[in-house]
Amino acid sequence: MMYEILKPISTELEQFISTLPTHALGKAITIHTQKALPDLQDVQLAIITVNENRGSLNAETEVEFDTLRKNLYQLYPGNWTKKIADLGTIQAGETIEDTYVAIKLIVADLVKQNIVPIVLGGSQDVTYGMYRGYDALEQQVNLVCVDSKIDVVADVENPSESFMTRIIMEAPNNLHNFSVLGYQTYFNSQEEIDLIDKMYFEAYRLGEIIKNIEISEPVLRDADMVSIDIHSVKSSDLGFFSSFQPNGFDGREICTLARYAGLSDRVSSFGVFNIDNISQKSLLITQILWYFVEGFNFRMNEYPYISKTSYLKYIVPLEEQELIFYKSDLSERWWIEISSLDNENRKMLFPCSYDDYKQSLQSIVPERWWRATKKSLG
């Protein structure tokens, strides 16, 4: 059984859990202890730590996740109904490729069971292993990275900064869309930024999102995978850090992004990466996780269908065409109609914002609609 590769939590942590208050999160989730793996029946979220950071050149070889887990277990759940399991740790394989395969197999199996894997730790190239897990599912993948860097540099030795090149170039190519939230221009070459634009992918600067964080919600609503580089958070808010980052998201903003990801009916895997022995002490990391789970518990299961009566339809005539918007009565979220990737005559709904609708009333074509249409038409 593939789950036997997972290392259980330590005996010390088991003893720590026994001292927690009755309603603490550590007593509300099922945990992989020294005695047994959790029963996955009825589990909807599965936490996994990954002790693999060879993709980051300056990283330590071993990461101890006990402090991270203690910080997490001490939190109190919200008004949650979804069952959570902590499956323990994937240890680094003999090679980094062995670790990717282990992650791929476990992510694929969990997603097949409609369990959302929450992967913590490791250098961000672990995202590649998660992505390869979708090979067995035979579906196109929308990947969103919350990162100060775009990570499509092909000529660097550090896999953590070039894993996106591998995802984009390697077969089987399941990548449909890639979005970066919070990139900082001075960390990225103009060549990388131009490449993203040329491929009709999406890249949002840090300043854009800080100015209006709601623009990230439709992007995350359309994601299958979400990968957060903890270095996208400024060090003053992270608290414990290995390298100082003067700029980045603050604690409230990164938790908002995590909650948006949790709320998305489509997100089926979530990860927070570049967690090392220093940063794993940060309370903010466990709060990011808490907000993702909070969002997940309040999913509305309203994946849009045009025939649904609970959607209000708005038609905006422009000079050369008309744009058709839908607004949910339930959540007040917005969608826009685009042509299907495989059939121009078949229409599908694409997440957008109220601002996109307001722009169209001023005869401005929403940029997300334009990119999605260009991609669907090849």
Side-chain angles (χ1 to χ4, degrees), residues 288-327:
I288 291 168
L289 173 55
W290 190 96
Y291 274 99
F292 175 77
V293 177
E294 169 84 355
F296 183 86
N297 273 271
F298 289 96
R299 287 187 174 186
M300 298 180 188
N301 300 314
E302 58 171 9
Y303 198 85
Y305 298 95
I306 292 175
S307 60
K308 281 193 174 179
T309 56
S310 58
Y311 290 82
L312 297 174
K313 183 176 180 180
Y314 298 80
I315 300 174
V316 181
L318 299 182
E319 190 172 323
E320 296 182 358
Q321 64 198 355
E322 61 181 22
L323 298 182
I324 300 175
F325 291 85
Y326 291 85
K327 178 188 175 185

Side-chain angles (χ1 to χ4, degrees), residues 156-266:
V156 298
E157 296 180 32
N158 186 350
S160 196
E161 293 185 4
S162 60
F163 69 93
M164 276 310 307
T165 303
R166 195 170 178 185
I167 287 176
I168 291 168
M169 300 298 293
E170 278 191 9
N173 194 321
N174 308 320
L175 186 68
H176 176 242
N177 194 39
F178 169 55
S179 305
V180 183
L181 300 179
Y183 82 93
Q184 298 175 39
T185 308
Y186 38 73
F187 287 146
N188 300 274
S189 68
Q190 192 58 48
E191 181 184 19
E192 291 176 89
I193 297 169
D194 291 344
L195 177 63
I196 292 297
D197 191 56
K198 184 179 179 181
M199 299 183 77
Y200 303 117
F201 292 152
E202 298 178 273
Y204 295 83
R205 292 179 61 179
L206 176 67
E208 289 181 85
I209 299 177
I210 289 175
K211 185 179 179 181
N212 179 17
I213 199 165
E214 291 181 3
I215 66 172
S216 63
E217 187 278 326
V219 180
L220 290 161
R221 199 190 330 154
D222 198 41
D224 298 290
M225 287 179 59
V226 177
S227 169
I228 296 178
D229 183 345
I230 201 59
H231 294 157
S232 64
V233 179
K234 59 185 177 182
S235 295
S236 57
D237 279 42
L238 192 59
F240 291 92
F241 50 86
S242 303
S243 59
F244 186 73
Q245 306 292 333
N247 288 308
F249 292 112
D250 65 24
R252 183 178 300 174
E253 290 156 354
I254 197 70
C255 288
T256 298
L257 295 177
R259 189 174 187 275
Y260 283 157
L263 279 168
S264 167
D265 293 323
R266 185 167 178 170

Side-chain angles (χ1 to χ4, degrees), residues 47-70:
I47 299 165
I48 302 165
T49 47
V50 180
N51 202 347
E52 174 61 84
N53 49 21
R54 283 172 287 187
S56 182
L57 295 179
N58 299 318
E60 303 132 304
T61 55
E62 290 271 340
V63 179
E64 172 269 308
F65 293 107
D66 278 12
T67 305
L68 184 149
R69 282 189 161 89
K70 284 180 180 179

Side-chain angles (χ1 to χ4, degrees), residues 267-279:
V267 169
S268 54
S269 63
F270 179 79
V272 183
F273 300 107
N274 282 320
I275 300 172
D276 57 24
N277 277 323
I278 298 174
S279 62

Side-chain angles (χ1 to χ4, degrees), residues 317-355:
L318 299 182
E319 190 172 323
E320 296 182 358
Q321 64 198 355
E322 61 181 22
L323 298 182
I324 300 175
F325 291 85
Y326 291 85
K327 178 188 175 185
S328 165
D329 270 353
L330 181 62
S331 67
E332 299 190 346
R333 294 186 291 191
W334 288 76
W335 285 265
I336 189 169
E337 190 175 277
I338 63 170
S339 298
S340 170
L341 183 64
D342 52 7
N343 183 348
E344 188 178 343
N345 295 318
R346 186 167 69 86
K347 303 300 181 182
M348 57 185 287
L349 295 187
F350 183 67
C352 68
S353 67
Y354 178 50
D355 283 345

Side-chain angles (χ1 to χ4, degrees), residues 10-27:
S10 65
T11 305
E12 179 194 347
L13 263 179
E14 290 186 47
Q15 293 170 349
F16 173 78
I17 292 168
S18 69
T19 68
L20 291 173
T22 305
H23 300 293
L25 191 57
K27 289 194 172 176

